[in-house]
């Protein structure tokens, strides 16, 4: 946000901090539906320059606010905060609904076989492109459950044991043999049996 107030000279950014602070305090938040200043004080603050102009005007000897206005504002703060709490609950439910859309609650136990997501880097010298590489490696065994979202798994190639987030794991499914593979296996078994009989 501060980039909006900085020109070509990036050394004078601190001269605009009061404007930045005012902009942040008066911006209406999408979740609370009120500005931070309104939530704290029950009113919208005046722009800094106009307030300075009012205070520095020689005709103004002191700055005074009507007591009834002040008491009314304080009494409304509790109602405003209750309303903001309702807005936050609705925003939380809406954000959770969007976040959980399409997500599945996956749990593993010790001894399960899983596939672990790989995080390759492209290496031009070796002619390796990460987009064309294997996305998962395994199967590897779950050694320990640290939490519903963190697991300790063994790693291939005798590397060190790693802690892995559940989002980087998927359940290993044993590949099924096709009819052709089954027929080939049966043919090999029959051939070996006939050779042993001879």
């Amino acid at each position: 946000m501060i980039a909006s107030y900085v020109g070509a000279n990036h050394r004078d950014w601190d001269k605009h901090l009061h404007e930045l602070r005012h902009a942040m305090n008066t911006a209406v938040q999408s979740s609370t539906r009120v500005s931070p200043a309104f939530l704290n004080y029950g009113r919208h603050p005046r722009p800094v320059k106009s307030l300075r102009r009012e205070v520095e005007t020689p005709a103004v000897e002191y700055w005074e606010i009507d007591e009834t206005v002040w008491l009314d504002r304080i009494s409304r703060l509790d109602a405003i905060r209750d309303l903001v709490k309702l807005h936050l609950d609705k925003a939380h439910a809406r954000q959770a609904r969007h976040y959980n859309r399409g997500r599945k609650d996956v749990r593993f136990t010790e001894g399960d076989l899983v596939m672990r997501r790989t995080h390759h880097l492209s290496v031009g010298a070796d002619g390796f492109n990460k987009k064309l590489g294997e996305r998962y490696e395994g199967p590897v065994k779950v050694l320990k459950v640290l939490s519903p979202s963190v697991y300790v798994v063994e790693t291939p190639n005798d590397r060190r044991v790693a802690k892995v987030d559940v989002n980087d794991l998927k359940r290993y499914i044993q590949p099924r043999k096709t009819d052709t593979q089954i027929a080939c296996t049966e043919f090999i078994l029959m051939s070996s049996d006939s050779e042993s009989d001879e």
Side-chain angles (χ1 to χ4, degrees):
M1 190 175 192
I2 199 168
S4 305
Y5 294 93
V6 177
N9 184 8
H10 290 183
R11 297 188 179 195
D12 61 352
W13 61 270
D14 56 332
K15 295 179 180 177
H16 304 284
L17 284 179
H18 62 284
E19 297 167 353
L20 175 66
R21 182 179 63 231
H22 184 268
M24 292 179 70
N25 288 338
T26 57
V28 175
Q29 307 296 315
S30 61
S31 296
T32 62
R33 299 187 188 176
V34 295
S35 66
F38 190 81
L39 181 59
N40 284 323
Y41 304 114
R43 66 179 177 86
H44 297 290
R46 303 175 185 178
V48 178
K49 290 185 178 177
S50 66
L51 179 61
R52 181 181 299 167
R53 203 164 36 244
E54 289 181 18
V55 172
E56 292 177 353
T57 303
V60 178
E61 297 179 1
Y62 59 92
W63 197 45
E64 185 180 357
I65 187 170
D66 188 8
E67 186 176 339
T68 56
V69 174
W70 177 260
L71 292 174
D72 180 56
R73 185 182 301 156
I74 294 300
S75 64
R76 283 186 299 161
L77 277 177
D78 289 333
I80 292 171
R81 288 177 181 151
D82 290 339
L83 185 63
V84 166
K85 187 177 183 305
L86 289 175
H87 291 324
L88 286 175
D89 290 341
K90 288 181 181 177
H92 181 266
R94 184 177 65 251
Q95 292 163 5
R97 188 171 60 250
H98 288 296
Y99 179 79
N100 293 328
R101 184 181 297 161
R103 294 179 63 87
K104 295 179 181 178
D105 185 22
V106 180
R107 303 284 176 104
F108 302 108
T109 57
E110 292 182 16
D112 284 352
L113 291 177
V114 296
M115 300 292 287
R116 180 185 177 194
R117 188 191 308 272
T118 58
H119 297 280
H120 294 300
L121 296 176
S122 297
V123 182
D126 296 338
F128 179 79
N129 189 329
K130 70 173 184 177
K131 290 185 178 179
L132 303 177
E134 294 287 338
R135 295 191 177 188
Y136 288 89
E137 62 182 1
V140 295
K141 187 183 290 185
V142 175
L143 300 179
K144 190 175 181 182
V145 180
L146 297 181
S147 74
S149 61
V150 180
Y151 296 86
V152 175
V153 299
E154 63 181 3
T155 53
N157 305 324
D158 296 328
R159 292 182 295 178
R160 64 182 179 83
V161 174
K163 295 178 184 175
V164 185
D165 188 82
V166 69
N167 292 325
D168 289 336
L169 298 174
K170 72 176 183 179
R171 194 172 301 280
Y172 173 70
I173 300 173
Q174 186 76 27
R176 291 186 301 176
K177 290 185 177 179
T178 62
D179 293 338
T180 306
Q181 291 172 327
I182 294 172
C184 290
T185 305
E186 291 176 352
F187 177 76
I188 292 170
L189 291 174
M190 289 172 57
S191 300
S192 63
D193 288 342
S194 61
E195 288 176 1
S196 62
D197 290 341
E198 293 176 0

